[in-house]
Amino acid sequence: MAGVPDRSGKRGAGANEPEYEVIGGGLVDDQPRVTSSSGGSEPPPAAVVKTALKLAWRDARNSLFSWWFWLGCCCAIAFAGGVAAAMVAWVQSLEGFDSDVLGATYVFMAGFLALAAAILGVICGFRHAWSSILVRFLAATIRGVVFAALSCVVLLIVGFNTGGPPALAGAAAVVIVLEVGLFGLMGGGARACFASTVPAGVLAGVVTMFLCLGNGALTLLLLAGTSEMGGASVPVNVERDDAGRITAYECVGSLHEVEVVHTERVAWLAASNPALLLGSIGAQFVPPDHVVGWMLAGLQYAADGPSREVPCLDGESSAGLAPPVPVAFAGFAGQAAFAALLTISGRWLEARRAGIS
């Protein structure tokens, strides 16, 4: 408390006594506080998620009311359709397709939409990087749902006109939402790694280019080094599934030398590519006799290794082989690892800059 001058106009007893005022304007509370019986000051998880959802919706709503976002979505869909049509036309000019050219365009367009979703996610995450990790991911997911809905409608229209399987559009919508969310975390994490925009943009661009193009190219370059000689014998009691793939067999006879390609050693590098990831999922919905159906399952075949081409390798039957790991699971795990690495690095570097300043 602080003393104030005596008021000269005050008469009677106590006229010369100083008056006092309470420091803080009555904001100081000397009464004992009642602590929560929960024993902690942290809000419950439900409240944290509810608050994060509100903030994420507010963040995403700014994008939904921006014509730049809708222009980006329309350009991404037009890009996917145009590149798919151009690619099919080029292959057709080389007499690569005998029929069902429109159906091939539908399948390729779904794959390129997954690539467009990754790029859109990085850009949006880069521009909205100054929120918490949970809010950033939820906001990116909301944007992904909007873009996936638009893409699904366009894919269904193309699919109905070409006779393509409608289920592929649904699978593409799910993958698009996940791609926008995960790549949104990557874009935000890359932005937080640097105080300046230019190096952060370079980092985000390099990561995006590697996951969308570089990993597939690197896998093709490394395939040549996976060829070696191995011992093969004769498979008997062979069982096949409806698609004609060998599911069970036994091995008999002596081994003889054959050349095998251990594609399983490098195939996992390409699993995180959004287009190839969608293709591995879409293989479950496209008939095997489709003009490009065999391409969708190619990454999974490569990840399974040479046992598909040479069943009895080194005398090992199907009973001794490990069950195949879904390549889509490995792809999402790889993308999540990149997102976590960039996010953690961004938070650490951001905290370090704040401490230095």
Side-chain angles (χ1 to χ4, degrees):
M1 292 187 291
V4 295
D6 299 338
R7 291 182 299 180
S8 59
K10 189 174 180 179
R11 304 293 182 183
N16 293 325
E17 292 181 2
E19 294 184 353
Y20 296 92
E21 64 178 359
V22 179
I23 295 178
L27 297 180
V28 178
D29 185 9
D30 295 332
Q31 299 299 323
R33 299 183 181 273
V34 179
T35 58
S36 174
S37 59
S38 62
S41 59
E42 293 295 331
V48 174
V49 174
K50 185 177 180 180
T51 303
L53 282 172
K54 290 181 179 179
L55 295 176
W57 168 246
R58 185 184 305 170
D59 188 6
R61 185 176 57 187
N62 295 333
S63 298
L64 299 182
F65 283 102
S66 171
W67 66 274
W68 282 104
F69 174 77
W70 295 103
L71 178 63
C73 291
C74 294
C75 290
I77 295 174
F79 162 80
V83 174
M87 180 177 179
V88 171
W90 175 68
V91 176
Q92 183 67 12
S93 66
L94 301 177
E95 299 181 354
F97 295 145
D98 295 331
S99 60
D100 198 17
V101 177
L102 294 178
T105 303
Y106 169 64
V107 175
F108 284 138
M109 182 178 179
F112 285 117
L113 278 173
L115 290 174
I119 297 174
L120 183 66
V122 167
I123 294 175
C124 291
F126 191 88
R127 296 183 59 188
H128 302 268
W130 309 118
S131 55
S132 66
I133 298 175
L134 180 59
V135 172
R136 192 188 312 162
F137 178 74
L138 291 175
T141 303
I142 294 173
R143 298 186 191 96
V145 169
V146 175
F147 180 60
L150 294 176
S151 303
C152 186
V153 170
V154 175
L155 278 177
L156 286 175
I157 294 174
V158 176
F160 285 140
N161 291 327
T162 60
L168 181 61
V174 175
V175 173
I176 286 172
V177 173
L178 293 174
E179 294 303 301
V180 175
L182 290 173
F183 277 84
L185 287 178
M186 295 182 203
R191 179 64 185 92
C193 285
F194 299 93
S196 178
T197 305
V198 175
V202 171
L203 176 60
V206 169
V207 172
T208 304
M209 287 296 295
F210 174 76
L211 292 177
C212 293
L213 181 63
N215 53 2
L218 180 62
T219 301
L220 291 177
L221 291 176
L222 294 177
L223 277 178
T226 61
S227 178
E228 61 183 37
M229 302 302 294
S233 54
V234 180
V236 296
N237 298 330
V238 177
E239 299 179 8
R240 300 178 182 270
D241 58 12
D242 296 337
R245 295 186 293 264
I246 297 177
T247 58
Y249 54 89
E250 298 177 4
C251 298
V252 298
S254 58
L255 300 179
H256 56 277
E257 290 291 320
V258 294
E259 184 179 5
V260 294
V261 180
H262 287 275
T263 53
E264 77 282 3
R265 297 174 181 173
V266 297
W268 304 108
L269 290 173
S272 56
N273 185 290
L276 297 178
L277 193 153
L278 175 61
S280 62
I281 296 178
Q284 311 298 323
F285 306 101
V286 177
D289 58 349
H290 191 272
V291 64
V292 294
W294 61 273
M295 297 178 60
L296 302 182
L299 186 59
Q300 183 64 59
Y301 290 167
D304 292 343
S307 61
R308 289 185 179 272
E309 298 295 332
V310 186
C312 287
L313 188 61
D314 297 328
E316 190 173 30
S317 66
S318 61
L321 297 177
V325 178
V327 72
F329 176 81
F332 282 124
Q335 292 179 0
F338 270 92
L341 178 61
L342 288 175
T343 300
I344 295 173
S345 300
R347 290 294 296 271
W348 181 75
L349 292 173
E350 193 176 27
R352 186 179 181 184
R353 289 196 302 269
I356 294 175
S357 61

